[in-house]
Amino acid sequence: MRYVSLLLIASSLGLFTSCSSPFEAEIDQLLTESQEALTQLQALYIDGIEADYADLERHASIARTKRFDSLHEDFFRNEFDVLKYHYRQTSRWFELQTYSEWEAQLTLGIQQLENLRHDVEKGLLEDEAVRQAIESEKNALLPLLGEVKTSCASMRELMAKHDSLDNHWQMMWDRWENPTL
């Protein structure tokens, strides 16, 4: 009997909280996605994207000093194309938007969603106002979330190859001047 009472109370509470607002799940989903994007962005910097870029800048500046000759034609055709691709992709990351700008936009979006959730929980807004606020937040956040997640994934791919390419290019420069190495 006691078990049935507890079950009835628990299901009533679950029903009560699930009916508190049809918008809370949508707000929570946007919050989760925004926080995940911010975490992905922060992780790139913790994992050393700036150091990787500095290495690529160094290799690109060395490559610019090398004159084209038939002896090194394979390097120019293959290795420099790979270096150029990695350098351009990483340069675009830093040119698109700075970390602080993306972080500020995501943080603002998260704060606005948390404020909206609070207002919904307290019943301070009518359903139509909530719906409009959610649509407004989606319009602001979804393109940003897509851009951050896609860019972070691209940078992760480049960063995964960085150490081996960095060593490879350094060996190439060393052999360039002294082919017996």
Side-chain angles (χ1 to χ4, degrees), residues 51-86:
D52 287 4
Y53 184 56
D55 289 342
L56 287 170
E57 283 184 316
R58 182 176 61 83
H59 289 300
S61 68
I62 292 170
R64 286 185 200 105
T65 67
K66 305 301 179 190
R67 294 196 168 276
F68 182 83
D69 59 34
S70 58
L71 178 66
H72 296 105
E73 185 171 355
D74 289 340
F75 291 118
F76 280 99
R77 299 286 181 236
N78 300 322
E79 304 296 336
F80 285 16
D81 282 343
V82 173
L83 173 59
K84 186 169 49 174
Y85 171 78
H86 281 259

Side-chain angles (χ1 to χ4, degrees), residues 60-147:
S61 68
I62 292 170
R64 286 185 200 105
T65 67
K66 305 301 179 190
R67 294 196 168 276
F68 182 83
D69 59 34
S70 58
L71 178 66
H72 296 105
E73 185 171 355
D74 289 340
F75 291 118
F76 280 99
R77 299 286 181 236
N78 300 322
E79 304 296 336
F80 285 16
D81 282 343
V82 173
L83 173 59
K84 186 169 49 174
Y85 171 78
H86 281 259
Y87 181 68
R88 281 185 179 166
Q89 292 300 105
T90 308
S91 294
R92 284 187 186 133
W93 168 266
F94 288 99
E95 291 169 3
L96 279 176
Q97 199 140 7
T98 65
Y99 168 79
S100 60
E101 290 171 334
W102 270 346
E103 181 185 42
Q105 289 175 344
L106 287 169
T107 302
L108 176 64
I110 289 168
Q111 185 61 51
Q112 288 177 321
L113 287 169
E114 288 173 347
N115 292 343
L116 180 59
R117 182 173 59 188
H118 174 269
D119 291 349
V120 168
E121 288 172 352
K122 299 296 182 191
L124 301 175
L125 298 172
E126 297 294 324
D127 283 353
E128 182 59 24
V130 174
R131 188 189 61 72
Q132 288 177 359
I134 289 173
E135 288 305 312
S136 176
E137 291 304 319
K138 279 183 180 180
N139 289 338
L141 282 173
L142 292 179
L144 175 64
L145 294 175
E147 184 178 7

Side-chain angles (χ1 to χ4, degrees), residues 12-25:
S12 296
L13 284 174
L15 184 60
F16 176 71
T17 57
S18 67
C19 292
S20 61
S21 171
F23 302 111
E24 285 184 45

Side-chain angles (χ1 to χ4, degrees), residues 145-174:
L145 294 175
E147 184 178 7
V148 169
K149 288 179 179 182
T150 301
S151 296
C152 285
S154 296
M155 287 300 100
R156 280 280 170 213
E157 286 181 32
L158 292 175
M159 288 174 73
K161 299 173 187 172
H162 176 78
D163 288 343
S164 62
L165 287 173
D166 183 43
N167 291 335
H168 173 74
W169 289 322
Q170 188 57 54
M171 286 175 38
M172 183 175 66
W173 304 138
D174 294 344

